[in-house]
Amino acid sequence: MAQVHTNKSFKSLFSITLMAAALGLTACSTSTGSSPDVEARQNSMKNWGDAMGFMGDMAKAPDTFDADLFKEQAAFLAEDAANPWSHFEDPEAVGNATEAVWSNADGFSAEAENFQKVTAELNAAAQNATSMDDVKPAFGQVGASCKSCHTDFRAKDE
């Protein structure tokens, strides 16, 4: 197996990205059973976490980069990026969302729009990628978007 040189900042960036993906899984995996809206957005975000996990595994071990799989996962994220946001309209369907989703609707909307933007950029980068280096910056931006939204709009685990 070829040895790949990586630096600490690269490892840190992807550690943060992977952590954000894991938070995405956690943030949306607890079903209340009482709201179809909560379940719909949790399912969507769980699928995002799964896609980020596949790509994150490649980020951790760049010699395993599979261009077709990465392209498929990036396309999925870009295509699905707009789906869960309409399921946040009912303030009674809280799930793991904070009150800020509704009291700071403009901020929440900006986070949703940013996620759609960065997933489209990742998808564009992935279409002709031949290595992890080709998608690394865009992948990091998607993880940062997840983390940013969860900071203000996801209830903290106690």
Side-chain angles (χ1 to χ4, degrees):
M1 182 178 288
Q3 197 171 41
V4 178
H5 174 71
T6 59
N7 63 38
K8 280 190 166 196
S9 62
F10 173 69
K11 287 181 181 178
S12 296
L13 172 68
F14 285 106
S15 293
I16 291 168
T17 301
L18 292 175
M19 183 172 65
L23 286 172
L25 290 173
T26 307
C28 303
S29 64
T30 306
S31 175
T32 63
S34 62
S35 171
D37 282 327
V38 171
E39 289 182 27
R41 66 190 192 224
Q42 287 176 348
N43 287 337
S44 191
M45 290 184 192
K46 182 196 178 303
N47 292 334
W48 294 352
D50 291 344
M52 288 295 288
F54 286 123
M55 293 183 287
D57 287 345
M58 289 182 235
K60 289 191 299 190
D63 58 320
T64 66
F65 183 78
D66 178 331
D68 290 333
L69 179 60
F70 199 99
K71 185 168 136 177
E72 175 185 292
Q73 298 305 308
F76 162 72
L77 282 177
E79 292 165 8
D80 197 63
N83 286 342
W85 311 116
S86 65
H87 297 286
F88 284 95
E89 292 174 0
D90 179 2
E92 299 298 314
V94 177
N96 290 330
T98 66
E99 171 276 330
V101 167
W102 297 277
S103 67
N104 182 7
D106 290 343
F108 185 68
S109 179
E111 291 286 358
E113 289 171 14
N114 183 58
F115 183 75
Q116 292 170 71
K117 175 182 154 285
V118 297
T119 56
E121 291 168 355
L122 176 62
N123 186 39
Q127 296 312 303
N128 298 311
T130 58
S131 73
M132 195 64 211
D133 288 337
D134 296 333
V135 292
K136 200 180 338 180
F139 180 70
Q141 290 299 310
V142 173
S145 175
C146 295
K147 183 178 182 340
S148 176
C149 190
H150 289 174
T151 297
D152 293 329
F153 299 105
R154 180 189 177 272
K156 311 293 184 258
D157 289 333
E158 307 234 354

